[in-house]
């Protein structure tokens, strides 16, 4: 089943059944269960610890000094190492980097990345940092210990009825054990170390058990938008939300997301703030030299394609096919993860890893993607975008935000490429303000205000 078909099926279930009445330990479990149900029906994927993940977690335990956990920090920040981008000789967190350096007594808790774990200490700017590997290991051990015990679900018959009538195979008890194990692991940690007053989290829907524990202990949770956020993202389009497992405040890129959470989904978080994106502040300061100057001597255009974790093969093959027929254009393909298996059959298309895509977006003539939020950053730099509208993802995600007059063209076949590129030549586009400005000072003030009332 395709992703958008799965999203539509979840919506149908929520329209037909009283899903919020399905409870676990006195909280509504549906807004959590729906996330992994979509994974199951669209990607046939289950959240299980493979040997490679276990090895990565064990390797990461002592990568940073774990004794930072026992110091007193008013603010914790949860993020992932794969979200770092290179600025000069440092790997900077593109979303939370400003907060980590401007907020006093702040501890960064970083999840190791599957391909490599963490970056070495002399490559990063944070000094107060620990690996999330300790929590990951603890909650997986707790989940193992919980397996012999019965998982009691209130209104379980309704959940079974939904799965039966929709012909779905879903091990919901496994995921409820994981949720509870996350909660218990965090409660244990909060019981033996100094408890923070405020927690910042990127992608908190992966860590609902943590949020549950924070709310049980009176800790405020602030979410920092890190990527795609719209009515088709399964974490942000639920019919209703369990307050215990959702943030108290969400900080979004700009007006589009602000309108979504204040008008369409006001139940997601009680407070919504526009704070922009930290990496764009740095881009304005540092990316002042054209990295494509040598390519421009040989080619008429430089197009930067931004890959996506679930569609690298489709997009890279599309780029390869149009590159073969357009020798006057140079294509640079930047995958979502550096270990992506991507190859090109022509000399005017290359794979580039280990670079800062924001620098490339700023200087590219055209940006290409399926549905990555890099289209928003490209728009910030006044770089037009060609969307490869695979399964109508781009249209569904951005059709109401970016149109031809905003420097965006949607195509589905390689034959449409030349016409799309010509449309974007020297046109006078209307560039929207999709990102709020002064990110660092906005985030700092929000956190300081929360600390003052904690």
């Amino acid at each position: 089943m395709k992703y958008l078909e799965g999203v539509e099926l979840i919506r149908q279930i929520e329209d037909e059944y009283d899903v919020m009445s399905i409870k676990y330990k006195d909280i509504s479990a549906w807004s959590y269960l729906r996330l992994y149900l979509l994974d199951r029906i669209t990607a046939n994927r289950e959240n299980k610890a493979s040997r490679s993940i276990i090895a990565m977690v064990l390797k990461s335990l002592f990568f940073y000094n774990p004794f930072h956990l026992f110091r007193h920090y008013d603010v914790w920040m949860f993020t992932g190492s794969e979200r770092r981008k290179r600025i000069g000789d440092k790997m900077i967190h593109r979303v939370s980097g400003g907060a980590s350096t401007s907020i006093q007594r702040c501890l960064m808790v970083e999840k190791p990345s599957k391909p490599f774990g963490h970056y070495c200490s002399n490559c990063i700017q944070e000094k107060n940092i620990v690996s999330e590997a300790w929590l990951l290991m603890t909650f997986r051990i707790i989940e193992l210990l919980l397996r012999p015990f019965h998982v009691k679900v209130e209104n379980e018959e309704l959940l079974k009825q939904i799965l039966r009538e929709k012909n779905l195979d879903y091990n919901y008890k496994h995921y409820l054990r994981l949720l509870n194990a996350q909660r218990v692991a965090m409660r244990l940690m909060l019981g033996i170390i100094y408890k923070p007053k405020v927690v910042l989290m990127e992608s908190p829907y992966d860590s609902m058990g943590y949020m549950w524990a924070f709310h049980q202990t009176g800790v405020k949770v602030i979410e920092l938008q890190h990527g795609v956020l719209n009515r088709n993202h399964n974490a942000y389009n639920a019919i209703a939300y369990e307050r215990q497992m959702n943030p108290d405040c969400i900080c979004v890129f700009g007006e589009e997301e602000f309108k979504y959470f204040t008008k369409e989904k006001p139940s997601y978080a009680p407070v919504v703030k526009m704070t922009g994106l930290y990496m764009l502040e740095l881009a304005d300061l540092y990316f002042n030299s054209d990295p494509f100057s040598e390519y421009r001597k040989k080619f008429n255009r430089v197009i930067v394609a931004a890959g996506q974790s679930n569609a690298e093969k489709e997009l890279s093959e599309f780029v390869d096919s149009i590159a073969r027929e357009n020798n006057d254009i140079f294509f640079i393909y930047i995958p979502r993860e550096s270990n992506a298996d991507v190859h090109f059959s022509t000399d005017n298309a290359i794979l580039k890893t280990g670079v800062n895509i924001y620098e490339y977006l700023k200087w590219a003539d055209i940006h290409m993607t399926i549905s990555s939020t890099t289209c928003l950053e490209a728009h910030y730099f006044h770089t037009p975008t060609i969307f490869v509208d695979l399964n109508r993802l781009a249209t569904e995600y951005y059709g109401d935000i970016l149109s031809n007059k905003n420097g965006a063209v949607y195509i589905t076949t390689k034959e449409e490429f030349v016409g799309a590129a010509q449309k974007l030549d020297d046109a006078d586009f209307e560039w929207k303000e999709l990102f709020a400005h002064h990110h660092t000072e906005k985030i700092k003030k929000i956190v300081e205000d929360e600390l003052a009332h904690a």
Side-chain angles (χ1 to χ4, degrees), residues 428-440:
D428 185 17
F429 300 119
E430 295 179 15
W431 302 106
K432 293 184 174 183
E433 284 285 350
L434 297 175
F435 293 88
H437 296 273
H438 309 296
H439 168 83
T440 300

Side-chain angles (χ1 to χ4, degrees), residues 95-114:
V95 175
S96 55
S100 69
T101 55
S102 64
I103 298 170
Q104 294 185 346
R105 297 202 303 276
C106 177
L107 174 68
M108 177 170 281
V109 184
E110 186 181 79
K111 180 179 288 186
S113 171
K114 291 179 184 177

Side-chain angles (χ1 to χ4, degrees), residues 307-320 333 335 340-344 370 390:
Q308 293 175 231
S309 55
N310 294 325
E312 298 285 17
K313 184 175 185 293
E314 292 89 343
L315 182 58
S316 61
E317 289 179 351
F318 189 90
V319 169
D320 194 38
Y333 189 94
D341 185 20
V342 172
H343 306 279
F344 296 101
I370 293 175
L390 181 69

Side-chain angles (χ1 to χ4, degrees), residues 74-76 103 105 196-200 215 218-224 247-251 269-273 441-454:
D74 288 337
V75 181
W76 288 4
I103 298 170
R105 297 202 303 276
K197 297 177 181 177
V198 175
V199 170
L200 302 175
H215 285 132
V219 178
K220 287 291 184 72
V221 178
I222 299 173
E223 176 178 355
L224 304 181
D248 302 288
C249 169
I250 181 168
C251 297
V271 179
V272 185
K273 300 284 188 179
E441 62 185 69
K442 282 184 167 70
I443 289 289
K444 184 178 179 182
K445 185 178 187 307
I446 290 168
V447 172
E448 287 177 346
D449 288 347
E450 287 292 348
L451 290 174
H453 293 94

Side-chain angles (χ1 to χ4, degrees), residues 14 93 106 125 158 186 198 249 274 361 379 382 406 440:
E14 292 179 333
H93 268 294
C106 177
Q125 61 183 358
L158 176 60
M186 182 56 72
V198 175
C249 169
M274 290 188 290
L361 292 175
H379 192 86
H382 295 184
N406 309 122
T440 300

